[in-house]
Amino acid sequence: MKLLIKWPVLALFAVLTFSSCSTDSLDDQANAIELNLVTPEVKDIEVEILNLINDHRLSKGLNPLGDMTLVKSVAFTHTDYMVDKDEVSHANFYTRSNYLKANAGAKRVSENVAYGYSTAQGVVNAWIKSESHRENLEGDFTNFDVSAEKNENGRWYYTNIFIKK
């Protein structure tokens, strides 16, 4: 009888212990990803994207956002990652967000990503047409920047990061 009482307690302990390890493992994986920051030369398409976003914000009565070199460098790490993987994603977003909170004074961080658009107007129009991306474009942020890189086949990848200081 005592074994029947102890068995459920031991099983519950094992489950709780396993769950805790999984969470710690996820945290360890996120912390293991390091940002090797590089500030690439600014491209015309990136300047055009930033201007189009600020024009859109102004048309809605919102404040324009200031560009920020550190945000551009962090965005570049992700764009470079997407080019290497040949896929669009938000992989490792929390690493980028935490880095900007620790090093740029960000209180809030968000990002838009895209691929395949060959013009600044094309990518910004796509973001405006998407409710969740438009919320970032029109959100309560103070700074932003963008990274645009081509893969070996000439396909563009974009990472646009927004922060609120």
Side-chain angles (χ1 to χ4, degrees):
M1 182 78 163
K2 289 183 181 180
L3 183 58
L4 290 176
I5 293 172
K6 290 181 181 179
W7 176 246
V9 172
L10 288 173
L12 179 61
F13 178 75
V15 168
L16 292 175
T17 303
F18 178 74
S19 297
S20 177
C21 291
S22 295
T23 303
D24 291 343
S25 297
L26 291 175
D27 289 342
D28 289 345
Q29 289 172 353
N31 291 332
I33 299 163
E34 292 185 27
L35 295 178
N36 296 317
L37 296 184
V38 174
T39 305
E41 193 171 315
V42 176
K43 297 173 188 67
D44 290 341
I45 194 169
E46 295 167 335
V47 172
E48 192 175 349
I49 290 168
L50 297 177
N51 288 336
L52 288 167
I53 291 171
N54 270 336
D55 289 348
H56 175 76
R57 288 179 63 85
L58 289 169
S59 77
K60 300 292 182 185
L62 302 168
N63 65 304
L65 303 177
D67 60 339
M68 189 176 209
T69 303
L70 183 58
V71 173
K72 178 175 185 51
S73 297
V74 172
F76 174 74
T77 65
H78 187 58
T79 305
D80 191 46
Y81 171 87
M82 290 190 301
V83 168
D84 285 347
K85 297 287 186 185
D86 198 27
E87 65 182 32
V88 67
S89 74
H90 289 284
N92 308 311
F93 170 75
Y94 292 106
T95 300
R96 292 186 294 287
S97 177
N98 289 338
Y99 185 88
L100 289 167
K101 287 174 181 175
N103 296 285
K107 293 181 174 121
R108 199 168 132 233
V109 180
S110 194
E111 75 178 11
N112 287 342
V113 296
Y115 73 103
Y117 297 93
S118 59
T119 66
Q121 189 70 62
V123 72
V124 172
N125 285 346
W127 285 334
I128 290 171
K129 289 178 184 175
S130 163
E131 185 178 344
S132 61
H133 293 96
R134 186 176 58 252
E135 286 174 4
N136 286 338
L137 295 179
E138 298 174 359
D140 182 22
F141 297 105
T142 55
N143 299 86
F144 71 153
D145 222 310
V146 66
S147 170
E149 297 295 325
K150 283 185 182 180
N151 70 5
E152 61 189 26
N153 298 322
R155 175 183 256 179
W156 284 99
Y157 285 79
Y158 305 90
T159 304
N160 184 201
I161 297 180
F162 303 85
I163 69 168
K164 178 176 177 73
K165 290 179 93 174

